[in-house]
Structures are given as C-alpha cells and as structure tokens.
Amino acid sequence: MAKDFGIGESVKRSEDVRFVTGNGKYTDDINRPGQTYAYFLRSPVAHATLDSINIDEAKKAPGVVGVFTGQDIADAGLGGVPCGWQITDKHGDPMKEPAHPILAHGKVRHVGDPIVCVVADTYAQARDAAEMIDIDFGQLPAVVDMKAAAEGNPTNVHDEAPDNVCYDWELGDKEAVDSAFAGAAHVTTLELVNNRLVANPMEPRCCIGDWDSSSDDYTLYTTSQNPHVIRLLMGAFVLNIPEHKLRVYAPDVGGGFGAKIYHYAEEAFVTWASKQVRRPIKWTSDRSEAFISDAHGRDQVTKAELAMDAEGKFLALRCDTLANMGAYLSTFAPAIPTWLHGTLLAGQYATPAVHCRVRAMFTNTVPVDAYRGAGRPEATYILERIVNKAAKELGLDQCELRRRNFIRDFPYDTPVAVQYDTGDFDKTLNKAMEISDYANFEQRRQEAASRGKLRGIGLSCYIEACGIAPSSLVGALGARAGLYEAATIRVNPTGSVTVLTGSHSHGQGHETTFAQVVSDALGIPFESVDIVHGDTSKVPFGMGTYGSRSLAVGGSAIVKAVDKVVEKGKKIAAHLLEAAESDIVFEDGQYKVAGTDKAKAFAEVSLAAYVPHNYPIEDVEPGLEETAFYDPKNFTFPAGAYLCEVEVDPETGKVEIIDLFAADDFGNIVNPMIVEGQVHGGLAQGLGQAMLENCVYDEEGQLTSGSYMDYAMPLAGDLPMFTVSSEDGTPCTHNPLGVKGCGEAGAIGSPPALVNAVIDALRDHGIEHIDMPLSPNRVWSAINAASHKQAAE
Amino acid sequence: MYAFDYQKPSDVDSAVAALKSEGAQPLSGGQTLIPTLKMRLNMPEVLVDLSGIESMKGISRDGDTIHVGAATTHGAIAKSADIQSAIPGLAHQASRIGDPAVRNRGTIGGAIANNDPAACYPSACMALNATIVTNTRELSAANFFLGMYTTALEEDEIVTAVKFPVPSGSSYQKFDQPASRFPLVGVFVAKTAEGVRVAVTGAGSDGVFRHEGLEQALSGSFSADAVGGVTVSSDGLMKDLHGTPEYRANLIKVLTKRAVQEIG
Amino acid sequence: MTTITMTVNGKERSGKAEGRTLLVDFLRTEMGLTGTHVGCDTSQCGCCVVHVNGESVKACATFVSGMDGAEVTTIEGMANDDGSLGVMQASFKEHHGLQCGFCTPGMIMSATDLLANNPSPSEDEIRTWLKGNICRCTGYHNIVKSVQAAAATMAGAREAAE
C-alpha cells in the first residue's frame, strides 16, 4: 500500500489524463451507426393556445425521416415528464401538479416549450424542415411577475391551479413566533430577491436514443448526474419501458450543478422516437437553447423579520417567501423552497422560534429547480443579510452579534425540523477572522480611502443540510424515491478491484477520491482500484450525485461493501491459515492471525476465492464481490464562516472582490486538493450570483438574458485568488467516513458575504440593501440616490 | 446556418466582382457575422471572404498618418509598434476588443462596416477624424457612420483601409458590459491640431457620437476639472439590462476624466 | 462539398466541407478529433480554441473553407512526441486546474498561446488573457496556478538549455 494515496492525501486526479489530452468521452462525442438528428421547434411566445400546426411541407423536406407533434405523443399514450416530490400544503392538501407533456399539446406555457420535433439525416436538414412548419398561436397574456401573480392575476398558467398557486406551505410554530415578536425589544425587517440563475454547465445537454431492433432494448446516452433516476422516471412514468429493456448511460459529463439531475422531455423523446424511425437519434442543445430549456435556479422573493431582545439575542424569525416554479414542475422543484430551504432557517443560531411560509407560483417561464445549493443558499442569504442589518441597527460588530447567538450544544434540535449532529461555529468564525486579518481591516479601509476606493468586509455564517437523505424521512416529506446509494466492490482474481458506484462524477473527481477510500481500506495500491459509474448496464443501482451527497452517501455505501468483502475474506483466510475466524484481523492489506506472524495478503485470499482448490467450500461461496446499499441516518451539516473583502469604485459602482476567506467544517476530508477545488468552484458561482448573473424576463415572458451576451458569467478577471481553510473539522457522527460534503458550500456561503461587504463599504451613504446582482449600475444608482438624499437633508 | 457558396478572392477587384452576384455578402474576420449566421439571422447566398486579400492587410506610417488595411486584425493593431507610439489610445482600444482568439481573426474593416452601437473602433475613427477608404472613394468618419448598424457603404462597396491622422495625445477608456464585455460605454479622447475631440460608443441610441460640451470644455482647459463642469445629458442614451441612460451619462463623464488624466 | 487539406497536429489530413462548415465541426466529425468542444453559440466560451498557423482562434467562429494548407493544432496534438503530457497539460493535472474537463482543451490551448506571447505573465495578465475561456467548475483559482506553474517550468527549461 502506498501511504501517499490514502485518506487525507491530495492525490492528483487519475481522470485528468484523458481530459487534458482531449480524450474525454462526452455524450456529443458519441455517434451511432445510422444516426439521425433531432431539432426541437420551440415556442417563441410565453403563453398561447396552439390553434393549428401544419407539418405537411416539413415531412416532405430533404433528409427528413420523421416529424412529431404533441398529438403524436398523446396518440402513443406516453406519459408526461414526472415530478419526483409531492408537497402537502398547510391545509393538508397535495400540491397542484399539472401535466407536463413532452411535446406541448394544446397550449404552450413558456418561451422554449417544445412543440414539434423534426428528425432528419443531418441537423441542418432538421432545422431547415422546421422552418417549413406553420403554427397558429392564440396569444394569451403571460404570467411573469410572481408578486403580481400572488396579488391576483386574472390569467392562469394551468386551469387546475387557480391564482397560479402550486402550494401554500408553512413550517414552524406560528403562535410561538407571534408571541416572541410581541415581546421583542428590537425587530429588523428586510425584503430580498434571490435572483433567478441559469446553471450553465459548460457542456450543453445532449442525448442519443438508440433502439435495438433485434432485442427491442433501448439505450439512452445522456448528460445526466443520475442515470438510474432517469431510467426509473423515464421508463416507469413516461415510456412504460421496464428497467431490463432500458439502459441509460451518462459517460463523461461536462458539469451539472443541478441542471442535469432532472429528467427532460428531449431524453424521453429521442428514446421513444428512435423506435419510430428505427434509427438512433441525437439531440445536442445549443447554448441559446439551453437558456430556454435547462431548468433554472433560485428565483424567490422573501419578506423576513427578526425579533431580538435588548442584548441582541434572537427570539424569533419570520419569513414569507414566494418561490417561482416556472411553467411546469421539474423533478425536484417543489422540495427546494420547502424542505431544502425552510429547514435551514435556524442557521447557526439558537433562535427558539422560526416560522416560514412559502407560496410556490406557476409562471410562464422555464421551470425552476435545484441549482448548486438549492434552497440552502436562499435560506442563508435571508438569514445572513438580516443578521448583518440587525447588527448595524444595534451598533454591534457583525461577528459579535453572531457569537451571542451561536448554537454550542450538540446534537441540537432546531425549531424547523432538523437535528444538527455536530459543529463548532466559534471555531470556523475564529478561523475566518484569523485568515482574513479581520482585526486590522480598518487600516486597509483607510488605505483604500486614500486611493478613492470604498473598502468593505462582510461576514456570512452558513449551515447546510447535505448527504441527502434518510429515505424514511424524505418519504414522509413527499419524496417519491429513496435517497440511499449503492456500491459494488468486485475483487478481481489477481487482487485488483473494480468499484461500481451509483454516484456519478461530472467534475467531482470520484475516480480519485473513491479509489483513495478503497485503497486505504483494503491496503492495495491506488492504481489497482478502478471506479465505474454512469452506466445502468454495469452499476447495480444508484440515486446519483447532487446535494453534496457523493462521498457522504455513495462513499459510505462503498465502505459498507468493502466491509462485506473483508468479512468474507476473513472466512477464507481463516481456512487458509487454519485459524478461527474470530482470530483473523485485517490490517495493512493483510489477513493476520491475531498475536502471531501468520498472515495472508489480500491478493492471495482474493485468488483463493476464484481458484477455490483449498477453500471452505461448504461454508463460503467462491468469488469475491459484494454489493451494499447505504441509507443515511441523518443529513450531514457542513457549516462555515466566510468573510468577503471588496472595494467599490464610487464613480462607477464597480465592485472588485479583493479576497474571499472561507473557513469550512466539512468533517473529515479524503482529498484536500479536491475539496479546495470544490470550494473554489462554489465560491465562483455564489459570487457570480451576487455580482454578475441574472436571468431576466420581460413583461411578455421573453427571456432578455438569453445568451452570454446578456447573461454575465464570471470570468477569470472577475475573481481573485481565494483563501480557503477546511482543516480540523468536526467529523460527522453518523456515517463511517465522518464526512459531510463540500460541493455546495461555496455557493451557499458567499452571496451574503459579498452583499454584506458592499453594504459595509457603503456605510457612509446610509444604504441598507441592494438586490443581487450587485451590478455596477445598481451600486452606482444606490450611491447616487443616497448622495441626493443626504444632500437634501 | 443556411447553406451558401464560399469564395475567397485574392484581390479587391475580384472581391467587388464577386459581391455583385445575387445575395452576396462580404466576410471579414467573421467574429460577429458567424454567430449571426449560426442563429440564422442572416441568409447570404454567397459569402466573399476578404481575408485572402493581402493588399488589405498591414499597418504603415506615412508622415502624420497611420494607414491600416481593412483586413488587419485587432491583434495586429494592438501589437503594432507604429500605432503604440503614434496613437496609444488606438493600440489600447484594439487590445481590449473581445479576447485573444477573437483578436486574431476579427478585423478593423469588418468591425467598422458592421457599426455595432457598442463596437470600439467607431469611437477612435470619430475622435481621430479618420478617413475611411473604400474601393471607390474616401469618406470622413463623420460621413461614414450613419447610425446603429448603418454606414454610408453602398452595395458591393467594401472598406479597404482606414487612415488615422496622428494626434498629439490619445486615450481610450472602456467600461465593460458585464456579460458581453463589449463597452457599456467607451470614450475615446484625442488631442488634435483642431482641438480636443471626444467620441463615445456603447451609449448612444443612434450609435457613436461626439460630445460637443466635453470637447469645448477640454479644448479650453485640458483637465479633469474641466470635465467636472460639463453636464452630460442622458437624453438619447441607450437603456438595457446593464445600464440606464443616467448611468451611461455618468460613465461618459467618468471615463472622459480618466482619459484626460491618462493623456496628462 | 469541397475537399480541404490541412496539416493537423503535424500530419497532413483531408476532409470534405461545405461553405458553411465550421472548423470545429470539421475537426470533430471529419477528423474524429473530439477534444475540441462546443460550449456556446456566441463565440464567448472558448471551449473550441485551437491554434491555426500558430495563433489561437475560436474554431466555432472560423470557416474551414479557405483553410487549405493551414497548420492546425488541437488538444490532441499537445502531448510530447513520446506520449507524455506536455508542460501545460501536466501543469493542469498537477495543480487541479480542471474538474469536469469540458473547458479544459480550450483553456490549455489559450494558456499555451499566452506563454508563447508572454513567457512570464502576471496573475492579472493571465486572468485578462483568459477572458475568452469560461470555466464553470474551478473558479479559475487553480487554472491561474496551473498557468503560473507552467510558465515557471518552461522558464526553468529555457535556463537549463542555456
């Protein structure tokens, strides 16, 4: 065993060789013999009836092999795109769950809603033919603004959802909150917009449907974070194809960030239609198309109120949120503003009473679902902004007010239905203050002022629920699936190991991290471990990668399967060593007879399992392969403290991020290099939300930020080098690795840190809040308005 | 994109002849045109690629004039020692267009013929009182740029070169639109024998324009303080996701001041 | 359709192209070089950056027509002759300058072009140069480190050679 490759080592990633040489295999790199190409003709309007569709000319166009409409889909009896989570509203009624046909039927409900699909020999031919299609739209008013919708919009996106309400949900003890407010010494209020985002993984979505005429089997190649989930949803709910006839393969996937969790209409279409045209069908999204067909993220508006006593102790928090669902319910959409949001509103604080109300609204916009952090960034943004506003109102330092309210006793039952198993919030705050030299900030502020710049420092203390999730718990909360993970350890006869995991890697480095875990546990060389994922024909089962769950849940399944292998190996070793099984210990890759120097190497025992000549054949089967399913006992709770330091140019309103200091508690860490990389990436997305990114619709429901010309992606020049620390975490108490998850932290903790920093920089202007993104125009306008106000006073 | 015939002539006369055919359009660096074609927003029957015309490439100095071939790339302009020393504002402007890969393909001729309201070069041309040379005539910049995406170019007329008089001082200040990284506002200030000229791009609803108030103030006193005393109206300025007219008006002043400070 | 012949990664290759065929599609479909990716349709993301006659260009905004005789280098041509990773490739692996790998080929091609133009760039110069390459995974922190380290390695190699 090589110690340099074990748990805790920054092992360089084994997957990188293929990526840096151009040998990655992404879905669009795959081509099937006889492949055709699909072009989806999408709605150019936000809301309209489909009064007529004429496809006659298109059918006759060169190269066309099929033209399909929503009527064809309905005639074939296919199901709609299913939703995987049912919320029960505050009256005990199920949420409104309108149908989501894979091609629009009767009505279109957002710009980008697919109406017709043309399949042709080439992509250009499919697109040429689509231009020959005539559609009569009966234009309807568009529902775009959630607030207006909530105040009574005469137009309904779906007839079955009056007033466009999907559900009206609440969590927490309303009476306790009301009475705490009645007795509060101070109340801070704040209204916030959590801006709508587009996930924008750099690889656009792509899928290939390939029906096999000899076996009647289907293969779907797709850009997915969870191929088994797609197989389940698409097979069982849309196409009625049983699992054994359907293979879903997600090869290398170029980033996901949530947007590739969901089952999308295009996947179901190409799979089904490949049998209709008897040829494979490929669809590759353009980036412009991605903007109007990938699920969006965030998009909430919240009114928050925080009640405190005279010393700044938090008494109660009250939140009223409107959450945009878009035109249809995407796979996890209903769970995001509820169970992934309301449950985190205690944050790191011992607030005794919390109440939150969430109304989920249908609008004529692209469906909204989980995007990196999903619900938890929204909760953190509310809390960490209102706490800073409260600190300012009370004249307290932002760190001090938090310290007065930190939870310090674990396990801790929050008033919003979760139990934090462990944490140390003082420690991460101390660390953040130390690495940022918080104590000497004032000097830096004055130096910046001498250059005409306004310098600010902003704090955010986040906690998130990751490692989702205990199946029985999420089942009770409305999930229509379990959220365990599966793994198989296949020990090959000569002692190398193939790991089949249900976690999907699309940038997270599982091929390295998981191999470290197995190499460490079995005491075999890192290079002898191969990680296989993404293919339902190889991996027994899996729920996939999201919610920072891969190592906490998928890694735990691997550990469980390894344990089973070792247990079986002990039986074999006991036979070979002529010792009692209870005397066998496994350490450093050796089965040893305790207290003796008798031992058999892991590879020797493995070989014996496959060449069972001298073998306990009466008691033990040959072979050495074990599968385990791991269902977590609780969520994991990564937490941390982020300090962001910025400089604002008061003449232009431009914000420069000087540094982002992140002190995270991820529990135990397997590969520090990969963990730091995950934090960096999360920070870039969080800071992008806070400063640059904004998905904007106009009143007609047209997406005005529909390409990189108007949707501002963070570039290298927008960001600084980050200062991150995740050492000495408090290990998770309930999974075998003691890990918590690190994928989303950066995106959760950083937006309020940046906004708090900018508000701090503008301290002399009396500015209380600016909504994200803090674009130069918005910051300048706030300064300009404040200056006029101050001049008038 | 739609299908088209592709031609790559090697001299100006053949290019002009090719452009006389039905539905023909010129292609220069293609960094704007190709994305437009991909979105099927443009439907040429023939594309005439001008990048093979050697006589339209290159930079030379003749006395107090810098001559830039229309097919010269932004990258070549940015790196030109002649331009860096004679018109540093122009070299800097070229170095800030797009990104390195775009600058290796995109050309000055293509950019000014397109006259995007947020293109950089029209501001240099206006501030420096450049002469736009076509295959048939020479036009002053003021007579060439006629409004958003509109120029004086006739059908089958192509820009072959741009002639820049050398100013005594020049600076281009660009404030990036956060997404496209085109100028949200770009200001080119030139000190010339006829006085100070200030041209603004990215801001005007009708494309590039010169700001008389700023020019008068700076011709009187070339100082940041002089800029402070000028009122820049937001009337006629663009409004979009990234900037209000008021914000753009503010940026015009701030960037002009910074240009003046840089020229010194 | 016309036949285009060019030198791709040091070898003369021919393929069929229409007037509208983009270099990136030609490379991916005619040449089978799928390391060059398409990440946007507005020429901003840089996943498609290759070198043409020694300069970085966006292969999604370049017609292959008219490129007869050009020398093209793609990510597949960046390894050393013995198959080992080139300096920039090795540096990205060593410094965790990639996660999902999709932007990586274009990023490596742009970064290589940077060092050809400016052998010892500052952090600011690296960030500015990479304006046309979007990465959604890394936050650029480790990309900048990778480029800095590659510059140092190349400088060391030059010194050793002198």
Side-chain angles (χ1 to χ4, degrees):
Chain A
M1 173 178 79
K3 281 259 185 270
D4 295 348
F5 293 92
I7 287 178
E9 298 294 333
S10 287
V11 179
K12 308 303 175 200
R13 301 200 323 168
S14 35
E15 47 268 80
D16 284 358
V17 172
R18 68 176 184 273
F19 293 135
V20 300
T21 54
N23 288 299
K25 182 70 83 184
Y26 301 90
T27 306
D28 192 47
D29 300 339
I30 295 169
N31 292 296
R32 302 295 302 154
Q35 177 177 287
T36 61
Y37 295 82
Y39 176 76
F40 288 91
L41 182 62
R42 297 177 184 278
S43 177
V45 296
H47 198 194
T49 53
L50 293 169
D51 295 343
S52 72
I53 302 175
N54 186 334
I55 58 172
D56 296 346
E57 290 301 308
K59 277 182 158 170
K60 289 181 263 174
V64 169
V65 298
V67 182
F68 300 89
T69 66
Q71 188 62 50
D72 296 316
I73 302 296
D75 291 347
L78 304 187
V81 180
C83 178
W85 203 298
Q86 180 182 290
I87 293 297
T88 301
D89 75 8
K90 64 183 186 186
H91 308 296
D93 297 324
M95 67 187 188
K96 301 291 189 295
E97 193 174 356
H100 181 185
I102 62 177
L103 292 175
H105 194 214
K107 225 177 167 193
V108 288
R109 293 185 175 85
H110 68 85
V111 170
D113 212 354
I115 304 169
V116 182
C117 186
V118 182
V119 181
D121 288 336
T122 70
Y123 176 76
Q125 287 171 329
R127 200 163 168 177
D128 289 342
E131 292 192 1
M132 302 171 185
I133 295 168
D134 272 332
I135 301 175
D136 283 331
F137 293 98
Q139 285 252 26
L140 297 167
V143 180
V144 179
D145 180 5
M146 268 193 299
K147 272 178 123 172
E151 282 155 17
N153 188 316
T155 306
N156 285 333
V157 178
H158 296 280
D159 295 338
E160 54 268 62
D163 300 327
N164 295 305
V165 176
C166 174
Y167 56 77
D168 186 346
W169 176 90
E170 63 183 359
L171 179 68
D173 186 337
K174 188 169 185 300
E175 278 177 28
V177 168
D178 288 347
S179 87
F181 269 87
H186 186 82
V187 172
T188 297
T189 62
L190 188 58
E191 276 199 55
L192 305 131
V193 175
N194 204 288
N195 42 324
R196 188 182 184 108
L197 303 176
V198 183
N200 274 306
M202 292 320 297
E203 177 204 26
R205 285 192 300 121
C206 177
C207 49
I208 306 167
D210 190 356
W211 172 73
D212 183 331
S213 62
S214 70
S215 63
D216 197 29
D217 288 352
Y218 296 81
T219 299
L220 170 67
Y221 303 82
T222 188
T223 48
S224 175
Q225 300 176 216
N226 30 244
H228 284 89
V229 175
I230 302 305
R231 189 183 65 169
L232 180 68
L233 292 172
M234 184 176 85
F237 296 100
V238 189
L239 303 183
N240 197 20
I241 301 170
E243 283 96 332
H244 68 288
K245 305 300 284 180
L246 176 57
R247 173 191 174 206
V248 178
Y249 177 36
D252 285 330
V253 172
F257 316 115
K260 292 175 184 168
I261 296 172
Y262 323 117
H263 174 43
Y264 286 99
E266 295 88 356
E267 294 169 321
F269 178 83
V270 298
T271 306
W272 170 77
S274 70
K275 183 173 183 178
Q276 313 305 309
V277 304
R278 303 180 74 85
R279 287 168 68 182
I281 304 174
K282 177 189 265 192
W283 171 72
T284 307
S285 175
D286 285 343
R287 180 61 58 186
S288 312
E289 198 173 10
F291 271 96
I292 54 169
S293 66
D294 289 7
H296 293 174
R298 313 283 193 263
D299 203 351
Q300 296 186 7
V301 179
T302 296
K303 185 182 178 204
E305 300 162 277
L306 179 64
M308 287 156 282
D309 70 12
E311 278 72 51
K313 274 265 189 203
F314 302 160
L315 303 175
L317 177 77
R318 185 191 282 144
C319 295
D320 191 348
T321 293
L322 289 173
N324 202 336
M325 295 285 104
Y328 305 100
L329 292 178
S330 178
T331 308
F332 281 154
I336 309 308
T338 50
W339 297 114
L340 287 175
H341 171 251
T343 51
L344 274 303
L345 284 169
Q348 298 191 355
Y349 314 111
T351 314
V354 176
H355 181 261
C356 97
R357 177 192 187 196
V358 177
R359 279 168 290 168
M361 308 300 296
F362 288 112
T363 59
N364 291 115
T365 63
V366 170
V368 180
D369 205 329
Y371 164 64
R372 201 171 194 164
R376 292 150 292 170
E378 295 91 321
T380 303
Y381 185 60
I382 293 167
L383 261 181
E384 294 307 291
R385 279 291 299 125
I386 201 165
V387 168
N388 256 48
K389 186 163 183 258
K392 207 171 161 190
E393 289 171 2
L394 296 173
L396 286 172
D397 175 77
Q398 55 190 343
C399 303
E400 173 57 25
L401 179 60
R402 286 174 173 84
R403 279 198 206 283
R404 290 187 188 182
N405 289 283
F406 275 161
I407 295 162
R408 294 192 173 84
D409 295 320
F410 297 93
Y412 178 82
D413 290 306
T414 73
V416 274
V418 292
Q419 185 190 69
Y420 302 159
D421 61 332
T422 182
D424 188 341
F425 306 144
D426 288 292
K427 192 170 172 182
T428 43
L429 178 54
N430 290 342
K431 188 74 185 177
M433 292 172 75
E434 175 201 323
I435 59 179
S436 66
D437 190 20
Y438 188 80
N440 291 308
F441 171 74
E442 183 56 26
Q443 287 171 18
R444 301 197 290 280
R445 194 181 71 82
Q446 288 179 16
E447 186 279 326
S450 73
R451 290 182 279 110
K453 294 288 172 66
L454 309 175
R455 197 160 172 130
I457 190 164
L459 174 64
S460 156
C461 294
Y462 76 91
I463 187 162
E464 49 169 333
C466 292
I468 53 174
S471 295
S472 60
L473 173 61
V474 296
L477 304 182
R480 287 166 169 157
L483 286 171
Y484 48 82
E485 195 48 272
T488 296
I489 302 291
R490 177 176 298 156
V491 183
N492 300 308
T494 59
S496 69
V497 170
T498 303
V499 180
L500 310 171
T501 170
S503 298
H504 188 281
S505 184
H506 33 280
Q508 296 87 346
H510 294 173
E511 290 169 43
T512 305
T513 303
F514 288 176
Q516 285 177 255
V517 170
V518 173
S519 158
D520 198 277
L522 293 177
I524 60 172
F526 174 77
E527 297 78 17
S528 297
V529 184
D530 192 28
I531 307 294
V532 175
H533 67 89
D535 189 343
T536 63
S537 72
K538 292 181 179 167
V539 177
F541 204 73
M543 292 307 295
T545 292
Y546 39 82
S548 306
R549 71 193 299 271
S550 289
L551 191 57
V553 189
S556 296
I558 288 172
V559 170
K560 263 187 86 173
V562 164
D563 289 346
K564 288 186 179 180
V565 162
V566 170
E567 285 312 304
K568 183 170 178 180
K570 281 182 181 173
K571 291 186 171 65
I572 302 166
H575 178 88
L576 296 174
L577 292 163
E578 296 175 338
E581 190 190 329
S582 57
D583 289 339
I584 303 290
V585 292
F586 183 72
E587 51 188 41
D588 299 333
Q590 303 268 323
Y591 295 93
K592 297 175 182 167
V593 180
T596 75
D597 59 357
K598 286 169 68 180
K600 286 280 178 191
F602 177 75
E604 290 178 272
V605 172
S606 305
L607 188 63
Y610 287 93
V611 188
H613 296 165
N614 174 21
Y615 198 79
I617 202 80
E618 298 292 322
D619 305 322
V620 185
E621 293 170 23
L624 196 50
E625 172 169 326
E626 297 290 343
T627 294
F629 283 64
Y630 176 80
D631 202 287
K633 297 180 187 70
N634 188 1
F635 295 94
T636 61
F637 294 96
Y642 288 4
L643 278 161
C644 182
E645 202 158 323
V646 301
E647 283 188 8
V648 177
D649 178 347
E651 290 187 327
T652 63
K654 190 170 169 59
V655 176
E656 183 190 358
I657 305 169
I658 304 298
D659 205 337
L660 188 301
F661 306 93
D664 292 292
D665 177 355
F666 297 137
N668 293 336
I669 285 174
V670 173
N671 185 320
M673 175 191 82
I674 288 176
V675 167
E676 284 191 10
Q678 289 293 306
V679 176
H680 295 157
L683 291 175
Q685 291 183 2
L687 296 170
Q689 168 168 32
M691 199 169 79
L692 293 161
E693 300 178 38
N694 202 18
C695 181
V696 182
Y697 281 91
D698 70 11
E699 288 171 7
E700 275 80 47
Q702 294 291 333
L703 182 62
T704 47
S705 55
S707 79
Y708 292 153
M709 295 300 280
D710 281 301
Y711 187 90
M713 293 283 281
L715 303 183
D718 299 318
L719 299 169
M721 300 304 273
F722 304 117
T723 307
V724 304
S725 165
S726 49
E727 296 157 9
D728 304 325
T730 57
C732 170
T733 59
H734 55 80
N735 67 43
L737 291 164
V739 298
K740 296 182 179 177
C742 64
E744 297 161 294
I748 294 169
S750 61
L754 183 135
V755 177
N756 286 342
V758 172
I759 300 298
D760 181 55
L762 305 177
R763 61 173 78 174
D764 294 336
H765 291 79
I767 294 166
E768 292 187 338
H769 181 65
I770 305 172
D771 275 323
M772 300 188 291
L774 271 56
S775 65
N777 195 158
R778 285 188 180 179
V779 174
W780 176 82
S781 295
I783 295 171
N784 195 37
S787 303
H788 283 118
K789 196 176 149 204
Q790 283 174 341
E793 279 165 5
Chain B
M1 88 187 78
Y2 299 103
F4 53 79
D5 285 332
Y6 172 90
Q7 295 185 20
K8 192 175 181 181
S10 54
D11 59 66
V12 172
D13 290 346
S14 325
V16 171
L19 284 167
K20 289 186 190 304
S21 63
E22 186 70 28
Q25 284 184 27
L27 166 73
S28 194
Q31 301 304 285
T32 302
L33 181 59
I34 293 174
T36 312
L37 294 170
K38 280 195 271 193
M39 290 177 193
R40 298 192 165 207
L41 298 172
N42 194 331
M43 202 174 176
E45 286 172 48
V46 180
L47 265 195
V48 182
D49 184 347
L50 307 178
S51 70
I53 305 175
E54 289 304 319
S55 66
M56 279 172 55
K57 292 181 188 171
I59 296 158
S60 59
R61 179 165 182 164
D62 180 12
D64 280 341
T65 303
I66 295 279
H67 182 284
V68 182
T72 307
T73 63
H74 315 321
I77 292 170
K79 287 179 202 162
S80 158
D82 274 338
I83 296 182
Q84 284 174 356
S85 66
I87 320 178
L90 178 60
H92 174 70
Q93 178 173 73
S95 79
R96 292 281 315 274
I97 297 173
D99 58 64
V102 165
R103 292 196 290 273
N104 285 334
R105 301 289 295 182
T107 68
I108 185 169
I112 66 173
N114 187 47
N115 194 18
D116 187 309
C120 288
Y121 288 127
S123 65
C125 293
M126 293 288 281
L128 294 163
N129 195 18
T131 299
I132 315 299
V133 184
T134 77
N135 55 309
T136 58
R137 55 185 169 153
E138 296 195 352
L139 290 136
S140 70
N143 290 332
F144 180 83
F145 298 110
L146 301 182
M148 207 178 265
Y149 297 109
T150 312
T151 68
L153 283 176
E154 305 282 345
E155 298 243 334
D156 66 48
E157 182 180 15
I158 58 173
V159 177
T160 57
V162 184
K163 294 194 290 190
F164 292 100
V166 174
S168 60
S170 67
S171 172
Y172 177 66
Q173 299 292 321
K174 174 185 172 188
F175 193 87
D176 284 10
Q177 192 257 52
S180 69
R181 317 286 166 153
F182 274 59
L184 185 62
V185 174
V187 175
F188 201 107
V189 175
K191 273 175 104 169
T192 72
E194 300 84 50
V196 177
R197 294 167 68 104
V198 178
V200 179
T201 190
S205 301
D206 214 17
V208 65
F209 65 91
R210 285 169 59 197
H211 197 282
E212 270 181 42
L214 287 166
E215 290 186 352
Q216 277 173 11
L218 288 169
S219 294
S221 160
F222 196 75
S223 67
D225 286 348
V227 175
V230 179
T231 301
V232 174
S233 166
S234 59
D235 292 349
L237 299 188
M238 280 195 280
K239 179 181 192 316
D240 58 24
L241 275 186
H242 307 284
T244 59
E246 294 73 26
Y247 183 56
R248 283 187 158 91
N250 171 64
L251 285 180
I252 290 169
K253 273 183 81 164
V254 171
L255 298 177
T256 302
K257 194 178 77 181
R258 290 178 184 181
V260 168
Q261 283 165 339
E262 184 177 271
I263 294 169
Chain C
M1 287 278 189
T2 52
T3 299
I4 305 290
T5 302
M6 50 173 89
T7 305
V8 181
N9 298 330
K11 293 196 182 95
E12 195 174 285
R13 303 277 304 267
S14 297
K16 297 256 183 264
E18 290 184 273
R20 60 178 164 176
T21 304
L22 295 166
L23 176 58
V24 66
D25 293 329
F26 184 78
L27 291 170
R28 287 179 58 81
T29 55
E30 285 292 299
M31 304 282 111
L33 297 170
T34 55
T36 303
H37 298 148
V38 178
C40 77
D41 41 20
T42 47
S43 311
Q44 288 170 285
C45 79
C47 294
C48 67
V49 171
V50 298
H51 296 171
V52 174
N53 300 326
E55 288 186 327
S56 56
V57 305
K58 291 191 159 163
C60 78
T62 305
F63 289 124
V64 74
S65 303
M67 282 189 61
D68 245 334
E71 285 206 21
V72 176
T73 307
T74 70
I75 189 66
E76 289 91 345
M78 297 301 282
N80 297 321
D81 291 342
D82 66 358
S84 61
L85 297 182
V87 172
M88 191 62 76
Q89 292 172 316
S91 195
F92 269 67
K93 180 176 192 297
E94 181 66 21
H95 298 280
H96 192 26
L98 65 147
Q99 290 181 24
C100 81
F102 195 80
C103 77
T104 309
M107 201 63 84
I108 288 176
M109 299 311 285
S110 284
T112 301
D113 192 30
L114 165 62
L115 297 192
N117 281 272
N118 179 358
S120 53
S122 65
E123 182 197 329
D124 197 40
E125 286 171 329
I126 294 169
R127 290 183 181 278
T128 303
W129 186 275
L130 295 178
K131 191 176 181 182
N133 293 83
I134 304 178
C135 171
R136 193 56 154 167
C137 292
T138 64
Y140 305 100
H141 181 112
N142 285 339
I143 288 175
V144 172
K145 272 172 66 178
S146 302
V147 179
Q148 287 170 327
T153 304
M154 288 179 186
R158 273 194 304 276
E159 246 172 53
E162 277 164 9

